[in-house]
Amino acid sequence: EAGVVQSPRYKIIEKKQPVAFWCNPISGHNTLYWYRQNLGQGPELLIRYENEEAVDDSQLPKDRFSAERLKGVDSTLKIQPAELGDSAVYLCASSPDPGGYSEQFFGPGTRLTVL
Amino acid sequence: AQSVSQHNHHVILSEAASLELGCNYSYGGTVNLFWYVQYPGQHLQLLLKYFSGDPLVKGIKGFEAEFIKSKFSFNLRKPSVQWSDTAEYFCAVTPANQAGTALIFGKGTTLSVSS
């Protein structure tokens, strides 16, 4: 079974530039999460999707961050414009059902460096 | 708000030593509990989980964890560590009755095992 796929793995940009991250969850997983992991910290939720609906985006900085999950499969997370403090690893995870009883499967992450 | 505290930031052990990593959570209701591991250069993966039943749960690679409700704790243990256990370990929690809620992670504990 293929795992969660993310691209790119690494991204270096200058501040004020836009950046986008892509995630393809495990086939059949309806729930998709985007987390941000700052250095020395655990991952923190940015947004959660059930199929194509964003059901929890309370932690997403909506002034500069946006996300979409068209057709309820793969998802894109965008930052525009990026700030120095956005440097982090952005993790995508998926789960087969929303019941909270299933494991969340994580992708390898995208390491973003903003200069 | 829910939170997870991991007491040890960095643990250094010799091979064959016993391991115990502390984890305490803050939440008044029923919870699901997880330990995730991230080996160098790899993505987060599930070690073990507790939802209900026997408070002593066994995971992969000889790890186990004990849920002590009265202490709000879910400590991870392994009787004899190996060099290959060198990794970062994250404790995580979700409310048990809120479908699909994202994981709340601790800051992680880095385990270094010398051969």
Side-chain angles (χ1 to χ4, degrees):
Chain A
E1 177 182 82
V4 176
V5 178
Q6 291 188 248
S7 68
R9 293 292 309 277
Y10 305 91
K11 190 72 176 180
I12 300 174
I13 61 172
E14 295 188 344
K15 63 181 181 182
K16 300 185 181 180
Q17 295 300 306
V19 64
F21 315 123
W22 177 80
C23 170
N24 187 257
I26 293 172
S27 178
H29 284 197
N30 297 323
T31 307
L32 183 146
Y33 307 79
W34 282 103
Y35 290 85
R36 177 169 60 187
Q37 185 175 15
N38 293 311
L39 189 65
Q41 304 292 318
E44 295 179 324
L45 179 73
L46 290 173
I47 189 168
R48 171 169 66 99
Y49 282 92
E50 297 297 344
N51 299 304
E52 66 274 10
E53 181 183 1
V55 295
D56 184 357
D57 63 356
S58 58
Q59 302 303 310
L60 190 72
K62 299 181 183 65
D63 57 335
R64 296 183 301 107
F65 285 65
S66 64
E68 61 182 13
R69 192 184 183 197
L70 300 175
K71 300 181 182 179
V73 182
D74 54 353
S75 176
T76 302
L77 178 68
K78 298 179 181 177
I79 308 175
Q80 183 171 8
E83 297 179 352
L84 295 176
D86 295 331
S87 294
V89 177
Y90 291 82
L91 296 167
C92 180
S94 69
S95 180
D97 65 71
Y101 293 94
S102 296
E103 174 185 352
Q104 290 184 28
F105 295 81
F106 285 81
T110 296
R111 183 176 297 276
L112 174 67
T113 301
V114 182
L115 303 175
Chain B
Q2 303 141 39
S3 65
V4 175
S5 176
Q6 293 185 239
H7 315 300
N8 314 100
H9 180 64
H10 193 181
V11 173
I12 302 172
L13 296 172
S14 299
E15 275 194 315
S18 63
L19 170 72
E20 181 161 4
L21 300 182
C23 172
N24 286 90
Y25 65 93
S26 173
Y27 182 69
T30 306
V31 294
N32 298 327
L33 294 155
F34 306 80
W35 275 97
Y36 276 82
V37 61
Q38 187 167 25
Y39 298 104
Q42 297 188 26
H43 56 275
L44 276 167
Q45 54 189 286
L46 184 69
L47 261 184
L48 48 79
K49 60 187 177 185
Y50 172 80
F51 291 147
S52 63
D54 189 343
L56 183 63
V57 292
K58 296 187 184 300
I60 61 171
K61 303 186 180 183
F63 286 91
E64 65 178 31
E66 184 176 14
F67 171 50
I68 303 179
K69 188 176 181 179
S70 62
K71 295 185 177 180
F72 298 89
S73 70
F74 191 55
N75 292 354
L76 181 70
R77 299 195 293 248
K78 186 172 184 178
S80 176
V81 296
Q82 300 173 317
W83 177 82
S84 58
D85 293 325
T86 295
E88 190 155 17
Y89 293 81
F90 293 93
C91 181
V93 64
T94 62
N97 300 318
Q98 296 180 23
T101 305
L103 295 164
I104 305 296
F105 284 89
K107 292 186 177 182
T109 297
T110 301
L111 172 64
S112 300
V113 180
S114 59
S115 57

